[in-house]
Amino acid sequence: MTGWTAIVPVKGGARAKSRLPEQIGGVPRGVLAAAFSADTIAAVAATPGIDKVLVIAGVSELDEAWLGEACPRVRMLRQGSSAGLNAAVRHAATLVTGPVAVVLGDLPSLRPDDLAAVLADAQKRPRSMVGDVACHGTTMLMARDGRLAASFGPRSFTRHGRAGYVELDAPIRARADVDTVADLERAHRLGVGMRTAAALGLVSAA
């Protein structure tokens, strides 16, 4: 059976995570956003059943050298800063064949076994999704045939449901995206990846 291709959209710079303060503990929110993305990508790349990872990056502080060294299956697709998320996701999906999973790049607590459980469930359905904790947004979107009808943005959970995506009973770490300080506190309680922890000063940087 053909493995999954994961598409991970990320955004860094001053426009990223605008609902967070400009700095948290002296750390610019753009740096934190890049750390969230790096940890998400690391978890995705380490997940069994994923053959390829396409990272859609606009303006971001992601370290491409680190991506190439730590995640050899990761390919960076540079998009203009004005490119819309949904158009970029649909374009990325046209570059591959087989099942596709979109994993938004703000899941710093995600672990490979969380995503593996989601994909095992998604394999049973033509189209499926994972809602965020509030069930307002969507953190993951899966299509077994690779044909994505992506509609991310405010209230995307409802729109994706109307488009035929079935909600999966996913682990909390697959749903715990970070948009606010309260979200970041929840992610901290769940356990964040090494780059988010380093950015927050919880551990020494590698």
Side-chain angles (χ1 to χ4, degrees):
M1 180 179 64
T2 303
W4 292 82
T5 294
I7 298 172
V8 186
V10 303
K11 183 170 69 174
R15 298 188 307 116
K17 296 299 161 190
S18 59
R19 291 166 63 189
L20 289 174
E22 290 188 6
Q23 293 193 353
I24 296 179
V27 182
R29 68 185 177 210
V31 173
L32 279 176
F36 300 161
S37 297
D39 285 331
T40 304
I41 293 164
V44 171
T47 300
I50 291 181
D51 289 347
K52 184 185 302 181
V53 183
L54 301 181
V55 176
I56 303 172
V59 178
S60 177
E61 289 80 8
L62 275 176
D63 185 341
E64 291 190 53
W66 171 80
L67 288 175
E69 177 182 348
C71 308
R73 289 180 295 161
V74 174
R75 175 185 172 192
M76 184 79 80
L77 301 177
R78 285 291 179 186
Q79 299 287 322
S81 59
S82 62
L85 169 62
N86 293 309
V89 166
R90 288 192 291 268
H91 171 69
T94 66
L95 303 178
V96 299
T97 58
V100 174
V102 181
V103 181
L104 295 193
D106 58 353
L107 296 167
S109 298
L110 184 68
R111 299 176 186 173
D113 56 344
D114 300 322
L115 183 52
V118 169
L119 296 181
D121 203 3
Q123 193 61 48
K124 306 170 187 175
R125 299 166 174 82
R127 288 184 172 185
S128 55
M129 65 178 176
V130 174
D132 63 14
V133 172
C135 284
H136 293 160
T138 311
T139 63
M140 301 182 187
L141 200 66
M142 281 71 60
R144 280 192 336 210
D145 61 4
R147 298 170 63 183
L148 287 167
S151 186
F152 291 100
R155 303 291 172 178
S156 66
F157 181 83
T158 298
R159 290 194 302 278
H160 285 140
R162 289 173 178 168
Y165 289 90
V166 176
E167 182 188 8
L168 303 181
D169 184 14
I172 181 69
R173 289 184 296 267
R175 302 171 58 219
D177 59 346
V178 177
D179 289 313
T180 67
V181 171
D183 294 339
L184 182 56
E185 291 171 348
R186 179 182 58 225
H188 184 194
R189 292 192 299 271
L190 292 171
V192 294
M194 62 179 294
R195 277 165 177 76
T196 301
L200 293 171
L202 302 175
V203 298
S204 297

